[in-house]
Amino acid sequence: MTTPAVPGSRVPEAVHRRRWVILGVLILSLLIVVLDNSILNVAVKTISTPAPTGLGATQSQLEWAINAYTLVFAGLLFTAGLLGDRLGRKKILVGGLVVFGVGSALASSAGSPGQLVAFRAVMGFGAAFVMPATLAVLMNVFERDEQPKAIGIWAGGVGLAIAIGPITGGLLLAHFWWGSVFLVNVPIVVLAVGLMLWLVPDSRDPRPGRIDPLGVALSVIGLVLLVYGIIKGGELADFTDPAVLVPALGGIAVLVLFVVHERRSDHPSIDVGYFKNKVFSAAIVSISLVFFALMGVTFFSVFYTQSVRGYSALETGALMLPLAAAQMIFAPRARLVVDRFGNRATTTGGMLLLAAMLAAFVTLDEDTPIWLLETIFFLMGTGMAHIMTPTSVVIMQALPREKAGSASALSNTFRQVGAALGIAVLGSVLSTVYRSGIEGSLGRVPAGLRDTAGESIEATLGVAAKLGPAGKALVGPANGAFLHAMHVTALWGAGITLIGAAVVAAYLPGRPAAPEPHDGEPDLVTAEPGAERAGGGTE
């Protein structure tokens, strides 16, 4: 029988001693999942280049190379967390890493855009089993008093991935072929799996009950349809199109059926009564809006720095370092602010700072000193750090410890839905405002190219390049139309973030909640990886 670290502790002594090393392994696993998307953003232009340099992918194919990952990832997150609670989080984490590594190797050797989309979906499948498991394992190797600090460091790992992703992608593309941005994942996966098997204990819900296959199916189908509709709306820049409304509304209808089924089931996948807790629900909303803002800003700021300001992909990655650096610096320390001022003040302040920085994008022009953009990014990262850490702690501590996988899955599912919504909604606003702004300047463009030229600033500049000297007259109007569209989009993002600030100000607690004991047995945590039994428990 394993020995607790201290009397009354749920964590065995052997696990307690290596808890910080285990956290490092978990962050390494998280790193490759987050890193992948930020690397791909840098490689998009190269992949669109005709063979042999790239795959000759169209803009739509590139979007689906990104979205296939997000779609599968978001759709399976909730199920992955439930399976981790039942089968063992370590088993699920290792399995997810292996699938992710195989998908990365296949993507690196894709021979066509269609293959790349398919292999990206495989990567999303594996990643869905990695992210919730990392946070669930964390909750079971740290005692409650250390969990806020550990979650802060975990959140800082996200900032680290955002920081090194674009830089790594730029360096790889400068020296190797486009597939290297995927192949680089493989050795990291091998290292992470080895360390996982060696160091990380397994844990699961000691009383998982019967599996709810109908609930699992409804959650997957509902999330996939909803996220597909969101992504399609961003692609078409029209949320009233039947191709958008049918899947989105269908997804909402299926999720309503899921809620009804869960409320009536005697063995639900998750107790939907958790959402009656206003603190829990407010934390979920705020963390969703953080990723809404992050992904939306990343989307239009890349076009601003590269298309309007003329920076390279590598330089753009370097310009985003302040955002990531602020998260890395402040996320682990945000708990200290919470200890002094409480969750409500800390998170509301973070949301207001984030909204202010989104609004500050209206000050950016073609010749704005670049230090101003760097300041905005740094303060955005500061605000996000003071939202992500306290809300993650609130979410994870709101549910019983043995349901850590489900809590993590809920948190990460809403993050991904928020991210997809940020790209779709803010991307749609950007596209619509840009098109209306550039239309008056497309009179000199041949009729057959006008629709294409009006799609985006990249499309306009591409057509201008084909027209030679006559196309130079389009560059100025394109930049002006994009800057106006960026300003409008940023204000939309700021307004939505202010709504989030109002929600957390109303419902989050004013000071840290006192630890609450949970009924039932503690999680089964295996002290030594080699001592695991079939069920994941100990004697």
Side-chain angles (χ1 to χ4, degrees):
M1 190 169 182
T2 54
T3 304
V6 294
S9 169
R10 299 185 181 202
V11 180
E13 174 63 27
V15 174
H16 181 76
R17 284 199 306 267
R18 62 174 186 261
R19 64 196 185 283
W20 297 109
V21 179
I22 291 171
L23 178 59
V25 178
L26 296 177
I27 290 176
L28 178 64
S29 303
L30 174 71
L31 197 66
I32 58 173
V33 173
V34 180
L35 186 71
D36 182 71
N37 265 342
S38 57
I39 283 182
L40 181 59
N41 289 336
V42 175
V44 162
K45 284 189 176 182
T46 304
I47 295 173
S48 67
T49 306
T53 303
L55 292 177
T58 64
Q59 182 171 340
S60 176
Q61 289 169 332
L62 288 171
E63 289 175 358
W64 280 110
I66 297 172
N67 293 337
Y69 181 92
T70 303
L71 188 63
V72 176
F73 189 31
L76 288 175
L77 271 170
F78 185 56
T79 303
L82 296 175
L83 290 175
D85 284 343
R86 285 160 171 75
L87 303 178
R89 289 132 192 170
K90 175 180 175 178
K91 299 179 183 70
I92 290 295
L93 214 170
V94 170
L97 283 171
V98 170
V99 172
F100 183 86
V102 170
S104 298
L106 292 172
S108 72
S109 59
S112 68
Q115 288 183 5
L116 179 59
V117 170
F119 297 146
R120 285 279 295 164
V122 173
M123 294 172 67
F125 185 95
F129 288 83
V130 173
M131 183 169 269
T134 60
L135 198 50
V137 170
L138 180 155
M139 295 298 291
N140 283 283
V141 299
F142 285 90
E143 293 297 341
R144 190 179 180 91
D145 61 337
E146 285 189 322
Q147 287 171 3
K149 180 179 180 180
I151 290 175
I153 296 172
W154 178 89
V158 176
L160 177 62
I162 295 171
I164 67 177
I167 299 293
T168 304
L171 290 173
L172 288 170
L173 291 173
H175 297 91
F176 304 100
W177 89 113
W178 65 266
S180 63
V181 301
F182 299 112
L183 193 60
V184 71
N185 293 329
V186 176
I188 303 176
V189 165
V190 172
L191 176 62
V193 168
L195 292 173
M196 194 77 57
L197 294 173
W198 179 32
L199 294 168
V200 177
D202 204 357
S203 61
R204 63 179 177 87
D205 187 341
R207 296 182 297 180
R210 290 180 292 161
I211 293 179
D212 176 23
L214 178 58
V216 170
L218 289 173
S219 69
V220 172
I221 294 170
L223 283 170
V224 168
L225 286 174
L226 176 59
V227 175
Y228 176 86
I230 292 170
I231 291 172
K232 194 68 176 176
E235 181 183 333
L236 298 178
D238 182 6
F239 281 86
T240 63
D241 192 290
V244 176
L245 290 177
V246 170
L249 294 178
I252 293 172
V254 173
L255 290 175
V256 170
L257 287 176
F258 168 71
V259 172
V260 172
H261 169 73
E262 295 298 283
R263 293 185 66 178
R264 295 179 177 177
S265 175
D266 59 357
H267 57 286
S269 297
I270 187 168
D271 186 351
V272 294
Y274 292 143
F275 288 95
K276 293 179 181 178
N277 183 330
K278 293 179 180 179
V279 172
F280 178 81
S281 298
I284 287 284
V285 168
S286 64
I287 209 163
S288 301
L289 290 176
V290 167
F291 277 79
F292 179 101
L294 173 63
M295 297 306 293
V297 167
T298 300
F299 182 79
F300 66 65
S301 63
V302 166
F303 288 103
Y304 171 70
T305 54
Q306 293 190 40
S307 300
V308 176
R309 301 299 297 265
Y311 290 99
S312 68
L314 182 57
E315 290 169 336
T316 295
L319 288 174
M320 297 192 72
L321 283 174
L323 188 151
Q327 290 185 65
M328 292 170 59
I329 293 168
F330 294 110
R333 295 169 173 79
R335 63 187 175 82
L336 303 176
V337 182
V338 173
D339 289 343
R340 181 167 184 179
F341 298 106
N343 280 303
R344 180 190 302 155
T346 303
T347 309
T348 303
M351 296 291 282
L352 291 174
L353 180 58
L354 185 59
M357 290 306 100
L358 281 167
F361 269 86
V362 302
T363 65
L364 301 181
D365 209 334
E366 290 183 62
D367 55 359
T368 301
I370 204 63
W371 64 262
L372 182 58
L373 176 63
E374 299 295 86
T375 302
I376 291 173
F377 276 154
F378 184 82
L379 292 176
M380 279 187 67
T382 302
M384 290 169 63
H386 288 87
I387 302 167
M388 289 174 60
T389 298
T391 53
S392 294
V393 172
V394 167
I395 291 166
M396 295 304 296
Q397 293 189 343
L399 302 189
R401 182 171 176 160
E402 60 270 18
K403 301 295 183 183
S406 298
S408 177
L410 279 170
S411 173
N412 284 296
T413 296
F414 277 86
R415 286 185 189 192
Q416 292 304 312
V417 171
L421 190 61
I423 293 173
V425 173
L426 297 184
S428 178
V429 172
L430 186 75
S431 177
T432 302
V433 177
Y434 177 79
R435 184 180 288 274
S436 65
I438 196 64
E439 276 180 347
S441 302
L442 299 179
R444 299 178 183 179
V445 176
L449 294 176
R450 286 177 190 169
D451 283 344
T452 300
E455 288 179 358
S456 65
I457 185 172
E458 283 294 311
T460 305
L461 296 178
V463 170
K466 292 179 181 178
L467 295 177
K472 291 183 179 180
L474 286 175
V475 175
N479 288 343
F482 176 82
L483 287 169
H484 175 64
M486 182 181 76
H487 296 161
V488 172
T489 305
L491 290 176
W492 270 66
I496 292 172
T497 307
L498 284 175
I499 294 174
V503 170
V504 298
Y507 296 113
L508 285 190
R511 59 182 182 276
E516 298 177 2
H518 297 303
D519 295 332
E521 299 175 13
D523 266 21
L524 300 179
V525 181
T526 304
E528 299 296 338
E532 293 171 9
R533 298 179 60 192
T538 58
E539 291 187 329

